[in-house]
Amino acid sequence: MKNELIKIKENALKELSNIKNLDSFRNLEIKYLGRKGEISTILRGLSELNDEEKKTFGKEANIIKKKLTEDFNKKKESLSQSTNKYIDVTLPGTQIKKGHIHPITQIENELVEIFKSLGFSVLNGPELESDYYNFESLNIPKHHPARDMQDTFYVDIKNKENKYDLVMRTHTSPVQVRAMQQFGAPLKCVVPGRVFRSESTDAVHEHTFYQMEGLLIDKNINIPNMIAVMEELLRNIFKQEIETRIRPGYFPFVEPAIELDIRCTICKGAKCPACKHSGWLEILPAGMVHPNVLKHGGIDSNKYSGFAFGLGLTRLAMMKYGVDDIRLFQSGNLKFLEQF
Ligand code: FA5
């Protein structure tokens, strides 16, 4: 039995020295020191010996078991340390939670791509605007009743000339004259951006919303050119024919002016709060640029003509995505936003 014990010890230590990873270590530990391992089997066999032999071999077996346990523990520690130095690249990674682009920005990006493909450049303008660009240069002098069409946030800050002249822009149209002054004619541009109105909000009215201005100035531009671009815009955004209607409108900076409405996509025309119970939604007013506006922009109205439109971008997003309340877009409600 003594020889058997020594053989087990030698084999165990030899095999232990060749072990390179924790998995094979665990198997070896079970083989020698496990409940049914070689050492335990020997210890169980002691019961068959007489008292003298039990004493001698029992002592010997316990010394060998202690030695093996110590050596196995040392090996385990060194294997654990070396294992920690490596990264298991096959393990699944920790997922990082990512946000995504806001639906209004998504639709704005889509529109920008459509207009770029039609040769339009993309411009922007200040959100804090002068009374001159927001109203006067657009043929809306002070005290003109048309100022009441847009509930304005007047700002209590003086301009460089020490005058109270600043407003939160009520539309993207001020960039019309800015663009004409900067680039002259011919000109083809769109201006997406945020606008502000002192509105009581409801399902289709926000105090802060998005528009996209379009402006095209060249020789011999006419109303059919304007309608063709507007229809192209809607076809590309909705990816299908949608029902529209055109009716006369009034904006002092265009003459003649039109309003383009689309059939409400929420109720399909059956009349609901999203279309102010009319079955239609005002989405795209437009018209031929007024000669006075061209003059403010430094463009000769005898040589050039043009059209402009002011797309209600947030309302377009409502209709495209089937959202029945405009206020959801800026609610910060993730349950709503995560759907896009
Ligand atoms: C204008 O702002 C003109 N500047 C548009 C224009 C440009 C006309 C160029 C002619 C030529 P209006 O106030 O109607 O027009 O607003 C344009 C669009 O913005 C509306 O058709 C509507 O779709 C959207 N809109 C207007 N008010 C709100 C509001 N409070 N909340 C959300 N969308 C609105």
Side-chain angles (χ1 to χ4, degrees):
M1 185 171 265
K2 189 168 180 192
N3 287 344
E4 211 179 323
L5 270 171
I6 290 168
K7 192 133 188 72
I8 290 173
K9 179 181 153 192
E10 281 171 358
N11 287 345
L13 292 177
K14 193 169 160 209
E15 284 182 56
L16 188 64
S17 67
N18 292 327
I19 290 293
K20 297 273 184 292
N21 61 54
L22 278 171
D23 279 346
S24 19
F25 170 84
R26 279 185 205 107
N27 291 337
L28 194 72
E29 192 177 37
I30 292 166
K31 179 176 171 194
Y32 288 103
L33 298 169
R35 257 188 328 119
K36 293 181 184 162
E38 298 194 13
I39 294 286
S40 306
T41 313
I42 288 269
L43 288 172
R44 268 197 299 276
L46 290 176
S47 58
E48 287 159 21
L49 302 177
N50 63 36
D51 283 356
E52 194 55 35
E53 287 171 329
K54 263 188 206 156
K55 219 172 159 187
T56 319
F57 293 121
K59 197 174 167 198
E60 194 71 31
N62 277 321
I63 289 170
I64 287 174
K65 187 178 176 185
K66 197 168 165 238
K67 162 79 180 148
L68 287 181
T69 307
E70 280 169 10
D71 283 22
F72 269 74
N73 284 344
K74 274 188 209 153
K75 183 79 179 185
K76 190 175 180 178
E77 210 179 298
S78 82
L79 282 174
S80 311
Q81 280 171 5
S82 60
T83 308
N84 289 343
K85 283 185 199 149
Y86 300 98
I87 296 167
D88 183 351
V89 290
T90 62
L91 284 174
T94 320
Q95 203 172 5
I96 299 166
K97 216 173 172 227
K98 280 197 287 184
H100 65 81
I101 296 178
H102 190 280
I104 300 290
T105 315
Q106 287 182 32
I107 201 164
E108 182 183 311
N109 291 346
E110 253 186 82
L111 282 162
V112 161
E113 286 313 311
I114 294 168
F115 280 103
K116 278 207 253 173
S117 74
L118 295 172
F120 283 68
S121 42
V122 183
L123 305 180
N124 56 32
E127 290 181 344
L128 184 58
E129 186 51 283
S130 69
D131 186 286
Y132 170 74
Y133 283 113
N134 199 78
F135 294 121
E136 286 199 34
S137 70
L138 294 172
N139 217 17
I140 315 175
K142 284 198 170 58
H143 313 300
H144 191 288
R147 289 211 177 195
D148 295 343
M149 289 161 69
Q150 299 182 355
D151 299 305
T152 311
F153 287 115
Y154 288 91
V155 177
D156 192 12
I157 303 171
K158 287 181 178 165
N159 67 6
K160 285 184 201 139
E161 284 93 48
N162 212 24
K163 285 189 194 147
Y164 291 108
D165 173 55
L166 298 172
V167 298
M168 295 308 289
R169 67 174 178 191
T170 52
H171 50 174
T172 42
S173 299
V175 189
Q176 285 187 27
V177 172
R178 285 182 176 278
M180 290 181 211
Q181 289 174 346
Q182 193 175 351
F183 301 106
L187 181 63
K188 256 166 115 176
C189 63
V190 285
V191 186
R194 202 159 56 145
V195 302
F196 310 85
R197 293 191 194 174
S198 176
E199 297 262 19
S200 330
T201 60
D202 60 29
V204 271
H205 289 93
E206 259 292 14
H207 48 74
T208 303
F209 58 99
Y210 289 79
Q211 288 188 341
M212 180 183 268
E213 198 75 8
L215 178 67
L216 189 150
I217 295 173
D218 211 327
K219 289 185 176 145
N220 306 318
I221 298 298
N222 53 35
I223 294 178
N225 297 148
M226 176 174 82
I227 297 192
V229 170
M230 290 159 77
E231 281 178 348
E232 181 69 6
L233 180 177
L234 295 173
R235 218 184 346 265
N236 273 291
I237 275 293
F238 286 98
K239 314 262 186 290
Q240 62 183 31
E241 291 296 330
I242 48 152
E243 203 181 335
T244 56
R245 74 173 182 191
I246 291 178
R247 56 194 169 90
Y250 173 67
F251 300 94
F253 37 98
V254 284
E255 178 62 41
I258 59 162
E259 291 273 5
L260 186 147
D261 304 336
I262 65 170
R263 195 48 109 189
C264 178
T265 60
I266 311 289
C267 63
K268 315 274 181 279
K271 302 181 181 174
C272 69
C275 55
K276 294 187 264 181
H277 303 282
S278 70
W280 297 91
L281 198 64
E282 257 177 56
I283 213 133
L284 190 51
M288 301 304 290
V289 180
H290 196 285
N292 287 351
V293 177
L294 291 171
K295 200 165 155 197
H296 278 285
I299 290 174
D300 184 350
S301 59
N302 293 318
K303 260 187 173 165
Y304 289 100
S305 56
F307 65 79
F309 59 80
L311 171 68
L313 195 59
T314 315
R315 282 198 192 160
L316 182 72
M318 284 177 76
M319 291 295 111
K320 179 171 160 85
Y321 299 126
V323 173
D324 62 3
D325 194 320
I326 199 167
R327 290 165 291 195
L328 284 165
F329 285 108
Q330 293 187 132
S331 63
N333 181 340
L334 286 181
K335 273 197 189 133
F336 169 72
L337 292 172
E338 279 167 358
Q339 296 174 73
F340 296 93

